[in-house]
Amino acid sequence: MAHVLSLHVFLSAQTQKTSYKPSKFSNRTNKSSTSISTAKKGLSRPSHKIQKLNLEVSPHRAVSAVRLMRIEFGGAFADLLNERGKGSGDNEMGYVERTLGFRTRDLDDRDLRLVTDIVGGTIRWRRYLDHLIASLFHDESVFRSIEPLLLQILRIGFYEIVKLNMPPYAVVDENVKLAKVALRPGAGNMVNGILRKLVLVKENNSLPLPKLEGDDRARARALAIIYSHPVWMVRRWTKYIGEENAIRLMMWNNRDPSFSLRANSGKGVTRDDLVTQLDSLKVPHEVSLHLNDFVRVNIGLQNVIRAGLLKEGTCSVQDESAGLVVSVVDPQPGDDIIDCCAAPGGKTLFMASRLSGKGKVHAIDINEGRLRILRETAKVQNVDGVVATIHADLRTFADKSPPKSGKVLLDAPCSGLGVLSKRADLRWNRRLEDLEELKNLQDELLDAASTLVSPEGVLIYSTCSIDPEENEDRVDAFLGRHPEFRIDPVDRYVPSDFVTERGFYFSDPVKHSLDGAFAARLVRTL
């Protein structure tokens, strides 16, 4: 259980928090009410236990196809699925059995790596892949009518040929087998014909890509296909940072993500201790240039998970950009800190470890289940003595004359546009309209959090977004409503390279090779 808890903490530290708007956001991003088997035509779920074993179908392709179905129609998070490690093999084959009607051989380590690569890459490049598939059909209506499982198989085949440069004959053969067994012979024939067309155009260097020309709208549409992002994101980034930097950002988002591990000082683990264990596991790593407790890991995270380092609380997965937000808070032994929208608590736990057993972090969250995860993980990391949880909606909690604190952190629900390299599926689950709703929510939460700050205390507002309307604009709007606060520059707390002209903390994915993040220190003067 602690293994899963650590992964949940990782997700909270890296992704947006949407628990304040469950009825609106979860319906769009987590379509749990729509069964994978009934999302569109073409799948059926057997009512009896299946014993059929098919040793000819590639296991990593079968698992990848089902994972992609779960992510697109079942609301599963791609990163959580990809980090569960070898222990999830039985579960994966169970999903295959229930969805496709048969089992394949069990996954080995190589299969698991391929599943991670194929699922993450196929999600990232979905718009690009769909453009290629539709172009080779020569009929948009035919493409739009493809049943879900068949489309996932085609996406896998296209990704393997175009992006992974796998041997074409093997890709065609294996994906045809999967389509025939999982669907019907005619589906296999369609996969065979389309993949062979792809091989031919690729060998002739004639992939059907849009030309980057015309007005801003036309260029944005072309860029959205070439770099596989929603058009609205491309237009927004081009507006704020220019086309060249927008391309760099999309290229960053399409890379395989790297991860950081935080040594848990709450259990007396130093970074040197963690490095020693990584060396023994033969996991390549490099120490953080910005934070003493952090180590970067590009590959080998599965080995860390299987070795039990997360389960036993030796370390946790947390991006350095999130760790630097904690540096902006500057927790010190003896501090009494309120952490708003805290659960499941990546930043909460890091702040708690900084208290050295003296002081308290009061973690407020609207989601009781996530608070339970936080409490359990705090025990694993040996910081439960300085963590207290409060189940409440911050907005109503603030109306009840609660105690005040000298340090209040509001890590606000946001679009998550700074973490798209790790949350491969998030780009397809966000809409421009979401930002307007989130901005209103951020304003409400900022107003509520400000009432918890004692005179001369500090309110830290942070997001995992790179969008100025969620960051600087929200701070400006807040200061307009609350003249009793002023900006406290963060240059005393984080390296100067992360400090903006106005004294805010900002982590730029392209510039810093970290997740995007923002934080502002706001001091109460009255």
Side-chain angles (χ1 to χ4, degrees), residues 481-493:
R481 298 190 304 273
H482 296 272
E484 70 274 21
F485 282 85
R486 63 171 176 81
I487 296 170
D488 181 24
V490 303
D491 52 347
R492 292 174 293 166
Y493 307 102

Side-chain angles (χ1 to χ4, degrees), residues 411-432:
D411 188 34
C414 70
S415 65
L417 294 182
V419 297
L420 295 183
S421 67
K422 288 187 174 69
R423 279 293 306 276
D425 55 324
L426 186 58
R427 71 185 71 177
W428 310 120
N429 292 334
R430 275 285 176 254
R431 303 185 311 165
L432 181 58

Side-chain angles (χ1 to χ4, degrees), residues 338 364 390 394 396-405 448 451-453:
I338 297 177
I364 304 172
I390 302 170
L394 176 65
T396 56
F397 177 79
D399 290 334
K400 299 177 181 178
S401 300
K404 298 184 184 296
S405 173
T451 66
L452 308 180
V453 183

Side-chain angles (χ1 to χ4, degrees), residues 21 395 435-445 474:
K21 294 276 188 175
R395 294 164 294 185
L435 265 69
E436 293 303 317
E437 297 178 21
L438 283 165
K439 283 156 53 178
N440 292 333
L441 176 60
Q442 289 154 2
D443 287 343
E444 292 176 5
L445 294 173
R474 301 280 53 77

